[in-house]
Amino acid sequence: MTEEAYNFAYLNEQTKRMIRRAILKGLATPGYQVPFASREMPMPYGWGTGGVQVSAATLTPEDTFKVIDQGADDTTNAVSIRKFVERTAGIATTTKTSDAKVIQTRHRIPEAPLTEDQILIYQVPIPEPLRFLEPRETETRKMHSREDYGLMHVKLYEDIAQHGHIATPYAYPVRVEGRYLMDPSPIPKFDTPKMEMAAIQLFGAGREQRIYALPPYTKVTPLDFEDPFDPSKAPHPCGLCGAEDAYLDEVITDDTGRRMFVCSDTDYCETRREAGHRGKDAA
Amino acid sequence: MSLLLSVQDLRKTYGRLIGCTNICFDLFVGEVIGPVGESGSGKTTLLNCLSGHLPPDQGQVIFDTRSDGPRNTVTMSEPARRMLARTDWAFVQQHARDGLRMNVSAGGNVGERLMALGARHYGDIRLQAEDWLTRVEIDASRIDDRPATFSGGMQQRLQIARNLITGPRLVFRDEPTGGLHVSVQARLLDMLRGLVRDMGLLAMIVTHDLAVVRLLADRLMVIKDGRVIETGLTDQVLDDPQAAHTQLLVSSVLQV
């Protein structure tokens, strides 16, 4: 099939309109999960079908697009979605966070602060933060409408009782503007405080058929007990660029157990190394 | 004595079947009332209508709320009713498994209502949970164990602790001793009587076990086919039953 056979960004215009309506509704009610008629995409569920549909409805021909997967631009998921958008929309792509207008992400927020003219789109596997506590959708909807969120604290209480601390290192539940309880998608707890940002944040769950959104500067509070929220990360600097403030991946380097910690945000790490920063493992 | 609950002309039908109809009664602070009757007589329907689990077809249930005074719970909004169910009311299920979260520790179960009401201090929640476990005669060292590891009687007591922790004013109980061994029943009843006396609870206890209501209830309400056929003080009804059906109920009790 030729590239011309595709409508701009793969989806037809009616579908994009439907998705844009869901996005607008989501932006008007921050944190509320808007149902939408999710389409079959040419990739398996769990690989970002929701994020891709939201991206497709958001992109314009002038935009520059960036995709990250666990912070990295060069992993399978990121590469294939970037190629898909290049082929079906024919727009410019980049790996530079600062050059991108629309950034689709899986499980990370870029380290560099985003600006007001950028949009961050999350791939969400399970949009309902209460799902593992209450399996019935009819019940969780009622709980949301009544702000009946005591159950979530029972879960956190159980964490402390059994592990001595809140053992939820990622997808840490947040409260949006003191109203909706929201799943921030499986980003690490470290990224949660960054969600109060200048950029628009959109969340797409393809299999679960839900879209939700955060307008710029929306107040996002991690649920917590009165002991302070701890955005944990590995206690090391980055081995390549020496960054102390970035979220790190642990990389095993040989069979004898040697390992190094490197930034999970590849663009951030490269930008720092170009600026002359060096970590202890840099060649 | 002040009026806490006033029920007027309550009716609930399931199609052509009558769940309960023409129910009127008043309850005062510190009183324990026991609707009795055979299986299928409408006791549980009545209990569910009063506790907000079932919407009645007609009638009024006026409850004296702690925050806003007397309110009709039938017409109030669902969130307000849920709030009542977490604060002023308690509902103890017949089967403890229905009323507990079986995959959450005992402490989490007891603390849930506190957390739903906004308690956010882990230490405080835990202290109160321990206190309540002790009050219902469960060893505080079992606070982190799951209810699945508890015996039936302990589960029932844990359910009571979980419900009473917010100091409710009205407790609904459905067959409180069902499925328990008699010796366990006796201790549970003892504990319940103590709690009702100490906390000045108003309670409504649904059971078919007349021995249980004789111990616990001040007043009885005999129900047959969804209608109240006789009311009165417990001793009066049990020792001098007037209606034919009540006489049958009382005479059917096995005398040991």
Side-chain angles (χ1 to χ4, degrees), chain B residues 181-230:
Chain B
H181 186 258
V182 274
S183 66
V184 180
Q185 276 189 20
R187 285 187 63 192
L188 189 71
L189 290 175
D190 233 25
M191 193 193 82
L192 269 179
R193 279 213 290 189
L195 288 173
V196 167
R197 206 172 39 239
D198 293 348
M199 299 179 67
L201 291 176
L202 162 76
M204 179 145 181
I205 296 175
V206 161
T207 179
H208 60 261
D209 190 338
L210 293 182
V212 169
V213 284
R214 191 191 271 282
L215 272 174
L216 285 180
D218 302 313
R219 280 200 291 148
L220 288 193
M221 204 158 64
V222 185
I223 302 181
K224 183 176 190 294
D225 299 334
R227 290 179 175 80
V228 176
I229 53 168
E230 186 166 355

Side-chain angles (χ1 to χ4, degrees), chain A residues 172-238:
Chain A
Y172 195 94
V174 294
R175 202 65 193 271
V176 179
E177 285 286 345
R179 180 58 185 88
Y180 283 103
L181 184 69
M182 188 186 92
D183 182 314
S185 86
I187 59 171
K189 203 172 165 183
F190 175 82
D191 279 345
T192 310
K194 288 193 229 157
M195 294 189 96
E196 283 186 41
M197 62 162 72
I200 294 175
Q201 296 170 80
L202 306 176
F203 300 78
R207 181 187 52 212
E208 305 287 326
Q209 311 195 323
R210 292 291 183 276
I211 285 173
Y212 50 104
L214 294 175
Y217 307 110
T218 304
K219 195 157 168 281
V220 176
T221 338
L223 278 200
D224 211 350
F225 286 99
E226 280 162 10
D227 56 341
F229 177 78
D230 165 35
S232 62
K233 73 184 250 309
H236 300 277
C238 171

Side-chain angles (χ1 to χ4, degrees), chain B:
Chain B
M1 288 215 291
S2 63
L3 191 64
L4 197 56
L5 182 74
S6 169
V7 179
Q8 278 142 37
D9 195 22
L10 197 72
R11 178 183 171 84
K12 172 75 189 171
T13 53
Y14 303 103
R16 285 184 299 118
L17 289 174
I18 293 172
C20 61
T21 184
N22 201 17
I23 307 276
C24 302
F25 66 95
D26 290 336
L27 267 183
F28 297 86
V29 175
E31 222 179 5
V32 178
I33 192 166
V36 293
E38 55 191 15
S39 315
S41 59
K43 305 182 299 269
T44 303
T45 299
L46 174 62
L47 197 69
N48 284 336
C49 284
L50 295 180
S51 59
H53 291 183
L54 270 181
D57 297 333
Q58 71 169 52
Q60 285 188 15
V61 179
I62 312 285
F63 177 75
D64 184 17
T65 59
R66 209 174 320 206
S67 45
D68 309 317
R71 298 271 312 273
N72 186 352
T73 64
V74 176
T75 53
M76 72 170 37
S77 69
E78 183 67 30
R81 202 156 40 224
R82 276 217 176 183
M83 194 56 173
L84 269 188
R86 286 202 292 260
T87 53
D88 281 3
W89 293 349
F91 196 102
V92 181
Q93 303 270 5
Q94 176 173 5
H95 301 291
R97 286 173 173 269
D98 297 339
L100 291 172
R101 292 190 190 282
M102 297 305 283
N103 52 1
V104 166
S105 70
N109 264 297
V110 178
E112 180 176 341
R113 273 175 165 240
L114 291 176
M115 290 183 256
L117 291 178
R120 292 293 177 263
H121 193 286
Y122 177 75
D124 287 353
I125 294 168
R126 218 170 151 79
L127 269 181
Q128 286 204 52
E130 279 176 5
D131 175 44
W132 267 96
L133 288 181
T134 323
R135 283 206 221 183
V136 296
E137 299 168 12
I138 295 176
D139 190 357
S141 67
R142 301 210 56 183
I143 187 165
D144 291 332
D145 293 347
R146 298 197 170 179
T149 66
F150 287 12
S151 70
M154 281 168 86
Q155 289 179 357
Q156 201 53 272
R157 294 201 297 271
L158 182 64
Q159 199 196 176
I160 292 168
R162 167 185 160 89
N163 273 287
L164 295 191
I165 191 165
T166 48
R169 310 175 82 188
L170 174 55
V171 184
F172 299 104
R173 312 221 32 183
D174 196 358
E175 304 282 1
T177 55
L180 296 179
H181 186 258
V182 274
S183 66
V184 180
Q185 276 189 20
R187 285 187 63 192
L188 189 71
L189 290 175
D190 233 25
M191 193 193 82
L192 269 179
R193 279 213 290 189
L195 288 173
V196 167
R197 206 172 39 239
D198 293 348
M199 299 179 67
L201 291 176
L202 162 76
M204 179 145 181
I205 296 175
V206 161
T207 179
H208 60 261
D209 190 338
L210 293 182
V212 169
V213 284
R214 191 191 271 282
L215 272 174
L216 285 180
D218 302 313
R219 280 200 291 148
L220 288 193
M221 204 158 64
V222 185
I223 302 181
K224 183 176 190 294
D225 299 334
R227 290 179 175 80
V228 176
I229 53 168
E230 186 166 355
T231 59
L233 297 176
T234 305
D235 296 348
Q236 176 198 331
V237 173
L238 291 183
D239 295 340
D240 182 19
Q242 301 294 312
H245 182 70
T246 318
Q247 290 170 358
L248 179 72
L249 277 182
V250 173
S251 63
S252 315
V253 174
L254 196 61
Q255 302 291 333
V256 184

